[in-house]
Amino acid sequence: MIVTSAVRHVAAGTAALLLVLPVPAATASSVTEPSPPAARYIDSARLHRSGTQVQPLSDSVDRPSSVSALSWLVADASTGEVLAARNAHRRLPPASTLKALFAVTALPRFDQDLRHTVTESELSGIGEGSSMVGVQAGYTYKVSDLWNGVFLNSGNDAVRVLASMNGGWKSMARQMQEKARALGARDTRVVSPDGYDAPGQVSSAFDLAVFGRAGLQDPAFVTYASTRYAEFPSGDWSYGIRNTNRLLTGADGVERYPGLLGVKNGYTSNAGNTLIAAARRGSRTLVVSVMNPQSGGGLAVYEEARTLLDWGFDAAGRVQPVGSLAPLREKAKEKAKGTVKEAKAASGRSADASAPKAGQAGPHSGTAAAVGPGDVAALAAPGRAVSREDVPSRPWAGLPLALVGASLGAAISVWLWRRRSTRRSDEGV
């Protein structure tokens, strides 16, 4: 009876101990790396091939038609995915679409309310036949006025002044070249920052789309690029200027494109008509570039851009990307971001299974901080070995079996000692 009672006490004590002890925290061997998200394969060499590149996911998607330009491209501005292109890396004169690169490079460097008095030297060297907004030496202009002159009137005089304020003409060309390389635009060679024809100056539909996409990330760029009309100062009075992008204004019989964000058009006798255009429809923004249409007259560049935008919005989700506008480091960053996001999602699912319900305290409330999804994601980050020290600890983690054994042994020892003492007392009696 005494033995049975002792065993019952030990069993009850052991069961109680198991109930109050928490479940051990995960050890290093139980923390596993989540599988990386499946990435869509994009052949980076495809855009270097000649001809039209497009990969429909079904027979219901047709290729862009009625586009005669020597080179063109349509891409998702948010992701950088190229939906279709023709001769994307063919190097051609860019004309004033190069001003998009000028703006991406110089726009962030000026306070838009800064006032500047123009000198004669700043207006020297403007190419014959250049488009101009009417900047005059001796007059004082706000920087925002000069940018209106660049975007709306494609004013080479305004470009000259802003370039002078930013280190000079040659310095500006070097800065633009460096910016182009940083953005992953390898086809562009900058000689004249205003886009005026110059020996050796070239760009490509791919690079122009890169510049347009980069500009869309700057609110000031978007504001100027999408402005239809503005007042340009001239001493004590001002005059109106209108954006020369007909898709934006609807001028000269060209129908306005819904949701157009503008960007930049251009023309020279050597380059023909060129255009970077961006438009938003719902939550989607597309950017297209068109270089030198071969038919349809001077306004064909706008209609061909319209065709590409319509096709791009219609084909969204129904074509496999044929390339990307994102520079290599941006692609690597996005891939890493996707992997971490997947890790957090996996850890969140695991944490939800054991997390206390709303309004309830966790099993170790007040003694140790709860492990959040971010902590687990950090532990499970790809390429990082997890050591025991890295695993969040909890009270008694890893000890239940040892404590149970020690408690059982101690209980039996106490029982034997009391049994022996009882026998001695009985013999003494």
Side-chain angles (χ1 to χ4, degrees):
M1 292 294 293
I2 296 175
V3 174
T4 303
S5 178
V7 172
R8 287 177 178 173
H9 280 83
V10 171
T14 301
L17 189 59
L18 288 173
L19 287 174
V20 299
L21 287 172
V23 178
T27 59
S29 61
S30 67
V31 178
T32 58
E33 294 183 1
S35 300
R40 287 190 290 180
Y41 174 71
I42 298 178
D43 182 3
S44 59
R46 183 160 188 150
L47 289 180
H48 288 274
R49 301 172 191 167
S50 61
T52 300
Q53 305 300 321
V54 60
Q55 295 189 94
L57 294 175
S58 68
D59 294 336
S60 63
V61 181
D62 296 324
R63 293 187 173 205
S65 59
S66 305
V67 182
S68 67
L70 294 178
S71 178
W72 55 262
L73 183 145
V74 53
D76 186 303
S78 299
T79 64
E81 292 179 342
V82 178
L83 306 182
R86 177 176 176 80
N87 302 329
H89 288 283
R90 180 173 178 176
R91 297 181 177 184
L92 297 166
S96 285
T97 50
L98 194 64
K99 288 183 172 75
L101 174 60
F102 172 73
V104 167
T105 306
L107 188 54
R109 305 188 181 189
F110 296 110
D111 180 344
Q112 303 305 295
D113 291 325
L114 176 68
R115 292 183 173 275
H116 176 75
T117 301
V118 177
T119 65
E120 289 283 356
S121 61
E122 290 173 335
L123 296 175
S124 62
I126 298 175
E128 183 179 355
S130 289
S131 56
M132 293 191 288
V133 68
V135 178
Q136 298 184 50
Y139 284 26
T140 299
Y141 300 88
K142 289 172 62 175
V143 164
S144 59
D145 295 326
L146 296 172
W147 280 116
N148 277 331
V150 172
F151 277 92
L152 277 68
N153 250 53
S154 201
N156 287 3
D157 47 356
V159 173
R160 285 275 171 175
V161 174
L162 288 166
S164 177
M165 295 171 62
N166 196 42
W169 198 243
K170 292 184 178 180
S171 174
M172 190 70 247
R174 285 194 299 270
Q175 293 175 45
M176 291 170 63
Q177 192 71 67
E178 292 170 0
K179 185 65 174 180
R181 295 295 180 266
L183 291 172
R186 299 285 176 176
D187 302 320
T188 298
R189 180 167 180 249
V190 181
V191 179
S192 184
D194 54 8
Y196 190 82
D197 284 339
Q201 179 157 277
V202 291
S203 190
S204 67
F206 180 92
D207 286 12
L208 294 184
V210 167
F211 305 150
R213 180 181 181 236
L216 293 176
Q217 298 173 29
D218 182 349
F221 182 105
V222 175
T223 296
Y224 289 119
S226 60
T227 298
R228 297 186 182 92
Y229 307 94
E231 290 292 318
F232 194 81
S234 180
D236 296 331
W237 63 290
S238 63
Y239 51 91
I241 57 175
R242 181 176 64 182
N243 201 311
T244 56
N245 183 345
R246 277 76 166 181
L247 275 185
L248 185 67
T249 62
D252 300 327
V254 176
E255 184 180 350
R256 285 175 54 185
Y257 193 86
L260 196 78
L261 301 176
V263 184
K264 194 69 191 75
N265 57 315
Y267 172 81
T268 66
S269 56
N270 191 31
N273 287 282
T274 59
L275 177 67
I276 308 170
R280 181 181 295 123
R281 184 177 295 177
S283 61
R284 197 174 193 87
T285 301
L286 298 182
V287 58
V288 304
S289 54
V290 182
M291 301 188 78
N292 202 348
Q294 297 298 288
S295 64
L299 301 179
V301 69
Y302 301 109
E303 298 308 327
E304 296 194 2
R306 184 194 309 278
T307 296
L308 292 176
L309 288 169
D310 286 344
W311 179 89
F313 284 120
D314 182 62
R318 301 198 294 146
V319 295
Q320 174 77 8
V322 294
S324 175
L325 300 179
L328 291 177
R329 64 171 181 273
E330 184 176 330
K331 296 173 189 174
K333 185 187 297 183
E334 288 299 320
K335 184 176 180 181
K337 186 187 298 183
T339 303
V340 171
K341 184 176 181 180
E342 181 68 16
K344 288 183 178 180
S347 64
R349 290 191 294 269
S350 176
D352 288 343
S354 58
K357 295 180 180 179
Q360 294 180 337
H364 307 293
S365 169
T367 57
V371 180
D375 298 323
V376 178
L379 291 175
R384 182 174 185 267
V386 181
S387 66
R388 182 176 297 275
E389 290 76 10
D390 287 331
V391 180
S393 60
R394 292 176 177 173
W396 312 102
L399 295 180
L401 294 178
L403 284 176
V404 169
S407 299
L408 183 58
I412 293 174
S413 297
V414 170
W415 177 77
L416 289 174
W417 177 78
R418 293 183 64 182
R419 170 87 174 164
R420 189 177 298 112
S421 298
T422 302
R423 284 182 176 178
R424 288 176 181 173
S425 297
D426 289 344
E427 291 171 357
V429 174

Short mmCIF file of all heavy atoms in Angstrom, two decimals, residues 186-241:
data_model
loop_
_atom_site.label_atom_id
_atom_site.label_comp_id
_atom_site.label_asym_id
_atom_site.label_seq_id
_atom_site.Cartn_x
_atom_site.Cartn_y
_atom_site.Cartn_z
N ARG A 186 22.77 51.33 -71.70
CA ARG A 186 24.11 51.17 -72.25
C ARG A 186 24.23 51.59 -73.72
O ARG A 186 25.33 51.60 -74.28
CB ARG A 186 24.54 49.70 -72.13
CG ARG A 186 24.58 49.20 -70.70
CD ARG A 186 25.79 49.73 -69.98
NE ARG A 186 25.81 49.34 -68.58
CZ ARG A 186 26.83 49.63 -67.75
NH1 ARG A 186 27.87 50.29 -68.21
NH2 ARG A 186 26.78 49.27 -66.49
N ASP A 187 23.12 51.93 -74.33
CA ASP A 187 23.17 52.29 -75.75
C ASP A 187 23.36 53.78 -75.97
O ASP A 187 23.63 54.21 -77.10
CB ASP A 187 21.86 51.87 -76.44
CG ASP A 187 21.59 50.38 -76.30
OD1 ASP A 187 22.55 49.59 -76.40
OD2 ASP A 187 20.42 50.00 -76.07
N THR A 188 23.21 54.57 -74.93
CA THR A 188 23.18 56.03 -75.06
C THR A 188 24.58 56.63 -75.00
O THR A 188 25.38 56.30 -74.11
CB THR A 188 22.32 56.65 -73.96
OG1 THR A 188 20.98 56.15 -74.11
CG2 THR A 188 22.31 58.16 -74.05
N ARG A 189 24.84 57.53 -75.93
CA ARG A 189 26.06 58.34 -75.89
C ARG A 189 25.64 59.79 -75.96
O ARG A 189 25.00 60.22 -76.93
CB ARG A 189 27.00 57.99 -77.06
CG ARG A 189 28.29 58.83 -77.02
CD ARG A 189 29.35 58.28 -77.96
NE ARG A 189 30.55 59.13 -77.89
CZ ARG A 189 30.98 59.93 -78.85
NH1 ARG A 189 30.32 59.99 -80.00
NH2 ARG A 189 32.08 60.64 -78.70
N VAL A 190 25.98 60.55 -74.92
CA VAL A 190 25.56 61.94 -74.81
C VAL A 190 26.67 62.86 -75.32
O VAL A 190 27.80 62.82 -74.83
CB VAL A 190 25.22 62.31 -73.36
CG1 VAL A 190 24.77 63.77 -73.27
CG2 VAL A 190 24.15 61.37 -72.80
N VAL A 191 26.33 63.67 -76.29
CA VAL A 191 27.25 64.70 -76.80
C VAL A 191 26.67 66.08 -76.55
O VAL A 191 27.35 66.98 -76.07
CB VAL A 191 27.53 64.50 -78.31
CG1 VAL A 191 28.47 65.60 -78.83
CG2 VAL A 191 28.13 63.12 -78.57
N SER A 192 25.38 66.25 -76.89
CA SER A 192 24.68 67.52 -76.69
C SER A 192 23.49 67.29 -75.75
O SER A 192 22.53 66.62 -76.14
CB SER A 192 24.20 68.06 -78.04
OG SER A 192 23.60 69.33 -77.89
N PRO A 193 23.54 67.77 -74.52
CA PRO A 193 22.51 67.47 -73.52
C PRO A 193 21.08 67.84 -73.92
O PRO A 193 20.13 67.31 -73.35
CB PRO A 193 22.95 68.30 -72.30
CG PRO A 193 24.43 68.37 -72.44
CD PRO A 193 24.67 68.51 -73.91
N ASP A 194 20.91 68.73 -74.89
CA ASP A 194 19.57 69.11 -75.31
C ASP A 194 18.98 68.19 -76.37
O ASP A 194 17.82 68.34 -76.77
CB ASP A 194 19.55 70.56 -75.82
CG ASP A 194 20.55 70.82 -76.93
OD1 ASP A 194 21.17 69.85 -77.42
OD2 ASP A 194 20.74 71.99 -77.30
N GLY A 195 19.77 67.22 -76.86
CA GLY A 195 19.29 66.29 -77.87
C GLY A 195 19.52 66.75 -79.29
O GLY A 195 19.18 66.04 -80.24
N TYR A 196 20.08 67.93 -79.46
CA TYR A 196 20.37 68.46 -80.80
C TYR A 196 21.31 67.50 -81.51
O TYR A 196 22.24 66.94 -80.91
CB TYR A 196 21.00 69.85 -80.67
CG TYR A 196 21.15 70.61 -81.96
CD1 TYR A 196 20.06 71.32 -82.49
CD2 TYR A 196 22.36 70.65 -82.63
CE1 TYR A 196 20.20 72.04 -83.67
CE2 TYR A 196 22.51 71.36 -83.81
CZ TYR A 196 21.42 72.06 -84.33
OH TYR A 196 21.57 72.77 -85.50
N ASP A 197 21.09 67.28 -82.80
CA ASP A 197 21.93 66.36 -83.56
C ASP A 197 23.42 66.69 -83.38
O ASP A 197 23.84 67.84 -83.56
CB ASP A 197 21.58 66.41 -85.05
CG ASP A 197 20.29 65.67 -85.36
OD1 ASP A 197 19.88 64.81 -84.54
OD2 ASP A 197 19.67 65.95 -86.41
N ALA A 198 24.19 65.68 -83.04
CA ALA A 198 25.64 65.83 -82.89
C ALA A 198 26.28 64.52 -83.30
O ALA A 198 25.72 63.44 -83.07
CB ALA A 198 26.01 66.17 -81.45
N PRO A 199 27.45 64.59 -83.94
CA PRO A 199 28.12 63.36 -84.37
C PRO A 199 28.32 62.39 -83.20
O PRO A 199 28.85 62.76 -82.15
CB PRO A 199 29.46 63.87 -84.91
CG PRO A 199 29.21 65.28 -85.32
CD PRO A 199 28.23 65.81 -84.31
N GLY A 200 27.87 61.16 -83.39
CA GLY A 200 28.08 60.14 -82.37
C GLY A 200 27.00 60.08 -81.30
O GLY A 200 27.02 59.17 -80.46
N GLN A 201 26.09 61.03 -81.30
CA GLN A 201 25.05 61.02 -80.26
C GLN A 201 23.95 60.05 -80.65
O GLN A 201 23.28 60.22 -81.67
CB GLN A 201 24.46 62.42 -80.06
CG GLN A 201 23.36 62.45 -79.00
CD GLN A 201 23.18 63.82 -78.41
OE1 GLN A 201 23.89 64.22 -77.50
NE2 GLN A 201 22.23 64.56 -78.93
N VAL A 202 23.74 59.03 -79.79
CA VAL A 202 22.74 58.00 -80.06
C VAL A 202 22.07 57.56 -78.77
O VAL A 202 22.56 57.80 -77.67
CB VAL A 202 23.37 56.76 -80.74
CG1 VAL A 202 23.84 57.07 -82.15
CG2 VAL A 202 24.52 56.21 -79.89
N SER A 203 20.95 56.91 -78.94
CA SER A 203 20.26 56.24 -77.83
C SER A 203 19.49 55.07 -78.44
O SER A 203 19.75 54.67 -79.59
CB SER A 203 19.34 57.20 -77.08
OG SER A 203 18.87 56.62 -75.88
N SER A 204 18.54 54.51 -77.73
CA SER A 204 17.76 53.38 -78.24
C SER A 204 16.37 53.43 -77.61
O SER A 204 16.14 54.12 -76.60
CB SER A 204 18.43 52.06 -77.91
OG SER A 204 18.42 51.83 -76.50
N ALA A 205 15.44 52.67 -78.18
CA ALA A 205 14.10 52.60 -77.61
C ALA A 205 14.16 52.05 -76.19
O ALA A 205 13.40 52.48 -75.32
CB ALA A 205 13.21 51.71 -78.48
N PHE A 206 15.05 51.10 -75.95
CA PHE A 206 15.20 50.55 -74.60
C PHE A 206 15.63 51.65 -73.63
O PHE A 206 15.02 51.85 -72.57
CB PHE A 206 16.24 49.43 -74.62
CG PHE A 206 16.48 48.80 -73.27
CD1 PHE A 206 15.75 47.68 -72.87
CD2 PHE A 206 17.42 49.31 -72.39
CE1 PHE A 206 15.94 47.10 -71.63
CE2 PHE A 206 17.63 48.74 -71.15
CZ PHE A 206 16.90 47.63 -70.76
N ASP A 207 16.69 52.39 -73.99
CA ASP A 207 17.21 53.42 -73.08
C ASP A 207 16.20 54.54 -72.86
O ASP A 207 16.05 55.03 -71.73
CB ASP A 207 18.51 54.00 -73.65
CG ASP A 207 19.69 53.04 -73.51
OD1 ASP A 207 19.45 51.85 -73.18
OD2 ASP A 207 20.84 53.46 -73.73
N LEU A 208 15.51 54.94 -73.91
CA LEU A 208 14.52 56.02 -73.74
C LEU A 208 13.42 55.58 -72.79
O LEU A 208 12.94 56.38 -71.96
CB LEU A 208 13.93 56.40 -75.10
CG LEU A 208 14.88 57.05 -76.12
CD1 LEU A 208 14.11 57.45 -77.36
CD2 LEU A 208 15.63 58.24 -75.53
N ALA A 209 13.00 54.33 -72.88
CA ALA A 209 11.98 53.82 -71.95
C ALA A 209 12.53 53.79 -70.52
O ALA A 209 11.80 54.07 -69.56
CB ALA A 209 11.52 52.43 -72.38
N VAL A 210 13.80 53.47 -70.38
CA VAL A 210 14.45 53.50 -69.06
C VAL A 210 14.40 54.91 -68.48
O VAL A 210 14.07 55.10 -67.30
CB VAL A 210 15.91 53.01 -69.15
CG1 VAL A 210 16.68 53.34 -67.88
CG2 VAL A 210 15.95 51.51 -69.41
N PHE A 211 14.71 55.92 -69.30
CA PHE A 211 14.68 57.30 -68.83
C PHE A 211 13.27 57.72 -68.45
O PHE A 211 13.06 58.41 -67.44
CB PHE A 211 15.24 58.24 -69.91
CG PHE A 211 16.62 57.89 -70.39
CD1 PHE A 211 17.02 58.18 -71.69
CD2 PHE A 211 17.52 57.24 -69.55
CE1 PHE A 211 18.28 57.84 -72.14
CE2 PHE A 211 18.80 56.90 -70.00
CZ PHE A 211 19.18 57.19 -71.31
N GLY A 212 12.30 57.33 -69.28
CA GLY A 212 10.91 57.67 -68.96
C GLY A 212 10.47 57.03 -67.66
O GLY A 212 9.83 57.67 -66.82
N ARG A 213 10.81 55.77 -67.47
CA ARG A 213 10.44 55.07 -66.23
C ARG A 213 11.10 55.72 -65.01
O ARG A 213 10.47 55.89 -63.97
CB ARG A 213 10.85 53.60 -66.33
CG ARG A 213 10.51 52.80 -65.07
CD ARG A 213 10.96 51.36 -65.20
NE ARG A 213 10.58 50.62 -64.00
CZ ARG A 213 11.43 49.96 -63.23
NH1 ARG A 213 12.72 49.94 -63.52
NH2 ARG A 213 11.00 49.31 -62.16
N ALA A 214 12.35 56.09 -65.15
CA ALA A 214 13.05 56.74 -64.04
C ALA A 214 12.40 58.08 -63.70
O ALA A 214 12.24 58.44 -62.53
CB ALA A 214 14.53 56.94 -64.39
N GLY A 215 12.00 58.84 -64.72
CA GLY A 215 11.36 60.13 -64.49
C GLY A 215 10.04 60.00 -63.76
O GLY A 215 9.69 60.85 -62.94
N LEU A 216 9.30 58.93 -64.05
CA LEU A 216 7.99 58.75 -63.41
C LEU A 216 8.10 58.55 -61.90
O LEU A 216 7.11 58.67 -61.18
CB LEU A 216 7.27 57.55 -64.03
CG LEU A 216 6.85 57.71 -65.50
CD1 LEU A 216 6.24 56.41 -66.01
CD2 LEU A 216 5.88 58.87 -65.66
N GLN A 217 9.28 58.25 -61.41
CA GLN A 217 9.48 58.06 -59.98
C GLN A 217 9.72 59.37 -59.25
O GLN A 217 9.82 59.39 -58.03
CB GLN A 217 10.65 57.09 -59.75
CG GLN A 217 10.41 55.72 -60.33
CD GLN A 217 11.63 54.81 -60.27
OE1 GLN A 217 12.47 54.94 -59.39
NE2 GLN A 217 11.74 53.89 -61.21
N ASP A 218 9.81 60.47 -60.00
CA ASP A 218 10.03 61.80 -59.42
C ASP A 218 8.76 62.64 -59.63
O ASP A 218 8.41 62.95 -60.76
CB ASP A 218 11.22 62.47 -60.12
CG ASP A 218 11.54 63.84 -59.54
OD1 ASP A 218 10.73 64.37 -58.75
OD2 ASP A 218 12.60 64.39 -59.89
N PRO A 219 8.06 63.00 -58.54
CA PRO A 219 6.82 63.77 -58.68
C PRO A 219 7.00 65.07 -59.46
O PRO A 219 6.11 65.47 -60.21
CB PRO A 219 6.41 64.05 -57.23
CG PRO A 219 7.04 62.93 -56.45
CD PRO A 219 8.34 62.66 -57.13
N ALA A 220 8.14 65.73 -59.28
CA ALA A 220 8.37 66.99 -60.01
C ALA A 220 8.46 66.72 -61.51
O ALA A 220 7.91 67.48 -62.32
CB ALA A 220 9.65 67.65 -59.51
N PHE A 221 9.14 65.65 -61.88
CA PHE A 221 9.24 65.27 -63.30
C PHE A 221 7.84 65.04 -63.88
O PHE A 221 7.52 65.54 -64.96
CB PHE A 221 10.09 64.00 -63.41
CG PHE A 221 10.34 63.52 -64.82
CD1 PHE A 221 11.57 63.71 -65.42
CD2 PHE A 221 9.35 62.86 -65.54
CE1 PHE A 221 11.81 63.26 -66.72
CE2 PHE A 221 9.57 62.42 -66.84
CZ PHE A 221 10.81 62.62 -67.42
N VAL A 222 7.02 64.29 -63.16
CA VAL A 222 5.67 63.98 -63.64
C VAL A 222 4.84 65.25 -63.78
O VAL A 222 4.10 65.43 -64.75
CB VAL A 222 4.97 62.98 -62.70
CG1 VAL A 222 3.53 62.75 -63.13
CG2 VAL A 222 5.73 61.66 -62.66
N THR A 223 5.00 66.17 -62.83
CA THR A 223 4.24 67.42 -62.89
C THR A 223 4.58 68.21 -64.14
O THR A 223 3.69 68.67 -64.87
CB THR A 223 4.54 68.28 -61.65
OG1 THR A 223 4.07 67.59 -60.48
CG2 THR A 223 3.84 69.63 -61.73
N TYR A 224 5.88 68.38 -64.41
CA TYR A 224 6.28 69.12 -65.61
C TYR A 224 5.88 68.38 -66.89
O TYR A 224 5.36 68.98 -67.82
CB TYR A 224 7.80 69.35 -65.61
CG TYR A 224 8.28 70.34 -64.58
CD1 TYR A 224 9.17 69.95 -63.58
CD2 TYR A 224 7.86 71.67 -64.60
CE1 TYR A 224 9.62 70.86 -62.63
CE2 TYR A 224 8.30 72.58 -63.65
CZ TYR A 224 9.18 72.18 -62.67
OH TYR A 224 9.61 73.08 -61.72
N ALA A 225 6.11 67.07 -66.91
CA ALA A 225 5.86 66.29 -68.12
C ALA A 225 4.38 66.25 -68.49
O ALA A 225 4.04 66.11 -69.66
CB ALA A 225 6.39 64.87 -67.95
N SER A 226 3.51 66.38 -67.50
CA SER A 226 2.07 66.28 -67.75
C SER A 226 1.38 67.65 -67.81
O SER A 226 0.16 67.72 -67.95
CB SER A 226 1.41 65.43 -66.67
OG SER A 226 1.61 66.00 -65.39
N THR A 227 2.15 68.74 -67.74
CA THR A 227 1.58 70.09 -67.82
C THR A 227 1.28 70.44 -69.27
O THR A 227 2.15 70.36 -70.14
CB THR A 227 2.55 71.13 -67.23
OG1 THR A 227 2.76 70.84 -65.83
CG2 THR A 227 2.00 72.53 -67.38
N ARG A 228 0.04 70.83 -69.53
CA ARG A 228 -0.36 71.16 -70.90
C ARG A 228 -0.04 72.61 -71.26
O ARG A 228 0.44 72.89 -72.35
CB ARG A 228 -1.86 70.89 -71.09
CG ARG A 228 -2.27 69.45 -70.92
CD ARG A 228 -3.76 69.26 -71.28
NE ARG A 228 -4.19 67.88 -71.09
CZ ARG A 228 -4.72 67.42 -69.96
NH1 ARG A 228 -4.90 68.24 -68.94
NH2 ARG A 228 -5.08 66.15 -69.86
N TYR A 229 -0.35 73.50 -70.33
CA TYR A 229 -0.15 74.93 -70.59
C TYR A 229 0.51 75.59 -69.39
O TYR A 229 0.32 75.17 -68.24
CB TYR A 229 -1.50 75.63 -70.87
CG TYR A 229 -2.31 74.98 -71.96
CD1 TYR A 229 -3.29 74.03 -71.65
CD2 TYR A 229 -2.09 75.31 -73.30
CE1 TYR A 229 -4.03 73.42 -72.65
CE2 TYR A 229 -2.83 74.70 -74.30
CZ TYR A 229 -3.80 73.76 -73.97
OH TYR A 229 -4.53 73.16 -74.97
N ALA A 230 1.27 76.67 -69.65
CA ALA A 230 1.91 77.42 -68.57
C ALA A 230 2.18 78.84 -69.06
O ALA A 230 2.16 79.12 -70.27
CB ALA A 230 3.21 76.75 -68.14
N GLU A 231 2.41 79.72 -68.11
CA GLU A 231 2.80 81.09 -68.43
C GLU A 231 4.32 81.21 -68.31
O GLU A 231 4.91 80.79 -67.31
CB GLU A 231 2.14 82.07 -67.46
CG GLU A 231 0.64 82.20 -67.64
CD GLU A 231 0.29 82.88 -68.95
OE1 GLU A 231 0.96 83.88 -69.30
OE2 GLU A 231 -0.65 82.41 -69.63
N PHE A 232 4.94 81.77 -69.35
CA PHE A 232 6.39 81.94 -69.31
C PHE A 232 6.71 83.44 -69.17
O PHE A 232 6.23 84.25 -69.97
CB PHE A 232 7.05 81.39 -70.56
CG PHE A 232 8.54 81.24 -70.44
CD1 PHE A 232 9.10 80.15 -69.79
CD2 PHE A 232 9.38 82.23 -70.95
CE1 PHE A 232 10.47 80.04 -69.65
CE2 PHE A 232 10.76 82.12 -70.83
CZ PHE A 232 11.31 81.01 -70.17
N PRO A 233 7.51 83.81 -68.15
CA PRO A 233 7.77 85.24 -67.89
C PRO A 233 8.69 85.87 -68.95
O PRO A 233 9.56 85.21 -69.52
CB PRO A 233 8.45 85.21 -66.52
CG PRO A 233 9.09 83.87 -66.43
CD PRO A 233 8.18 82.93 -67.16
N SER A 234 8.47 87.15 -69.17
CA SER A 234 9.32 87.90 -70.08
C SER A 234 9.40 89.34 -69.58
O SER A 234 8.69 90.23 -70.04
CB SER A 234 8.76 87.87 -71.50
OG SER A 234 9.58 88.59 -72.40
N GLY A 235 10.23 89.51 -68.57
CA GLY A 235 10.32 90.85 -67.96
C GLY A 235 9.10 91.14 -67.12
O GLY A 235 8.76 90.41 -66.20
N ASP A 236 8.39 92.24 -67.46
CA ASP A 236 7.22 92.67 -66.71
C ASP A 236 5.93 91.98 -67.15
O ASP A 236 4.87 92.26 -66.60
CB ASP A 236 7.05 94.19 -66.84
CG ASP A 236 8.22 94.94 -66.23
OD1 ASP A 236 8.82 94.38 -65.29
OD2 ASP A 236 8.52 96.05 -66.71
N TRP A 237 5.98 91.11 -68.13
CA TRP A 237 4.78 90.42 -68.57
C TRP A 237 5.12 88.96 -68.83
O TRP A 237 6.22 88.49 -68.60
CB TRP A 237 4.22 91.10 -69.83
CG TRP A 237 5.14 91.05 -71.02
CD1 TRP A 237 6.31 91.72 -71.19
CD2 TRP A 237 4.95 90.25 -72.19
NE1 TRP A 237 6.88 91.41 -72.38
CE2 TRP A 237 6.07 90.51 -73.03
CE3 TRP A 237 3.97 89.39 -72.62
CZ2 TRP A 237 6.22 89.91 -74.27
CZ3 TRP A 237 4.10 88.79 -73.86
CH2 TRP A 237 5.22 89.06 -74.68
N SER A 238 4.16 88.21 -69.30
CA SER A 238 4.39 86.79 -69.59
C SER A 238 3.51 86.38 -70.76
O SER A 238 2.58 87.09 -71.15
CB SER A 238 4.07 85.93 -68.36
OG SER A 238 2.70 86.04 -68.00
N TYR A 239 3.79 85.25 -71.33
CA TYR A 239 3.01 84.73 -72.44
C TYR A 239 2.78 83.22 -72.25
O TYR A 239 3.53 82.55 -71.54
CB TYR A 239 3.69 85.00 -73.78
CG TYR A 239 5.14 84.56 -73.87
CD1 TYR A 239 5.47 83.28 -74.33
CD2 TYR A 239 6.16 85.44 -73.52
CE1 TYR A 239 6.78 82.89 -74.42
CE2 TYR A 239 7.49 85.05 -73.60
CZ TYR A 239 7.80 83.77 -74.05
OH TYR A 239 9.12 83.37 -74.13
N GLY A 240 1.75 82.74 -72.86
CA GLY A 240 1.40 81.33 -72.69
C GLY A 240 2.22 80.41 -73.58
O GLY A 240 2.56 80.76 -74.71
N ILE A 241 2.56 79.26 -73.03
CA ILE A 241 3.24 78.23 -73.82
C ILE A 241 2.44 76.94 -73.69
O ILE A 241 1.81 76.68 -72.67
CB ILE A 241 4.71 78.01 -73.38
CG1 ILE A 241 4.78 77.64 -71.88
CG2 ILE A 241 5.55 79.24 -73.68
CD1 ILE A 241 6.19 77.30 -71.42
#
